[in-house]
Amino acid sequence: MASADTLINAFTTLLVTVDPPGLAPLFIGLTAGMNRAERKQVALRGSLIAFFILAAFALFGASVLGILGISIGAFRIAGGLLLFWIAFEMVFEKRQDRKEKATEVAITKDHIHNIAVFPLALPLIAGPGAISATILLAGSLQTTLDRAQLIGVIAVNLGLVFAALAISDRLDRMLGATGRAILTRLLGVILAALAAQFVVDGVRSALAVA
């Protein structure tokens, strides 16, 4: 059974990577013209699809890496660097701009009934950062029970995402531009520290350092 510290680290890493408060204003833009019931339907479908995507990577991601001949140490280093770049974007407000551009493209090219799949589930919720974090976390949780606990952590995170999207209009008004900026930067600093730890653990694993 995974320790409480491991599960807390997994929860924090996924929560910061997915960033539910940061998704709220984007979701409002995606669902412009919908009523509250339609928005909840889109939020639920997108959250469920993202959950199954991340759960699949939690269960089979390490196996895929093994088939490709990539060690978990090497992936921790690469994944840690990727998460660090996402943290950099969060601190300097680059990530929100990129997500907003993806949202605008989707509105013009995709039918509104498909937005739960793209871009909501992919890549806004289960994006490269969340997928990398899931595989990294799964690599340190080897037993079936550990993996089941990780999937439980993913479910809790996606439940929080759904809750944030369901009340996105109120959450956006409550935080305001200043609140979102402060929260995003704070989460970015936390993610940078977690990413650095992934790189350190990856170097130790790759070099077989105790």
Side-chain angles (χ1 to χ4, degrees):
M1 180 178 291
S3 67
D5 288 344
T6 300
L7 293 177
I8 291 172
N9 179 62
F11 174 81
T12 304
T13 301
L14 286 173
L15 183 66
V16 172
T17 306
V18 174
D19 186 20
L23 290 173
L26 302 178
F27 182 72
I28 293 173
L30 278 174
T31 56
M34 293 187 185
N35 59 39
R36 182 164 293 180
E38 290 169 335
R39 281 181 171 175
K40 283 188 177 180
Q41 185 178 1
V42 173
L44 179 60
R45 186 182 180 201
S47 298
L48 286 174
I49 293 171
F51 167 76
F52 286 116
I53 291 170
L54 294 180
F57 277 100
L59 293 174
F60 307 113
S63 300
V64 173
L65 292 180
I67 293 173
L68 296 175
I70 301 172
S71 71
I72 192 63
F75 192 83
R76 281 176 180 164
I77 295 172
L81 293 174
L82 175 61
L83 293 179
F84 189 85
W85 176 252
I86 291 174
F88 176 86
E89 289 185 325
M90 291 173 71
V91 171
F92 293 98
E93 289 192 325
K94 302 290 186 183
R95 192 184 190 205
Q96 197 74 3
D97 293 341
R98 177 166 51 80
K99 283 188 172 184
E100 286 172 358
K101 289 179 182 177
T103 300
E104 291 170 2
V105 171
I107 290 174
T108 60
K109 291 187 176 180
D110 284 65
H111 192 276
I112 195 154
H113 295 301
N114 295 326
I115 62 174
V117 180
F118 177 84
L120 185 57
L122 276 170
L124 294 181
I125 300 177
I131 291 173
S132 299
T134 299
I135 297 177
L136 288 171
L137 294 167
S140 60
L141 300 170
Q142 300 296 332
T143 69
T144 303
L145 180 58
D146 289 347
R147 295 287 176 85
Q149 288 178 311
L150 176 58
I151 291 175
V153 169
I154 294 171
V156 172
N157 270 282
L158 271 295
L160 291 174
V161 168
F162 169 70
L165 298 183
I167 60 170
S168 56
D169 50 349
R170 284 171 283 177
L171 184 63
D172 191 50
R173 286 197 302 268
M174 181 181 68
L175 288 175
T178 302
R180 285 196 306 271
I182 293 172
L183 184 60
T184 298
R185 283 177 168 82
L186 177 61
L187 294 177
V189 172
I190 294 173
L191 182 59
L194 292 168
Q197 188 62 53
F198 277 129
V199 173
V200 171
D201 292 343
V203 171
R204 287 177 176 172
S205 176
L207 301 179
V209 177

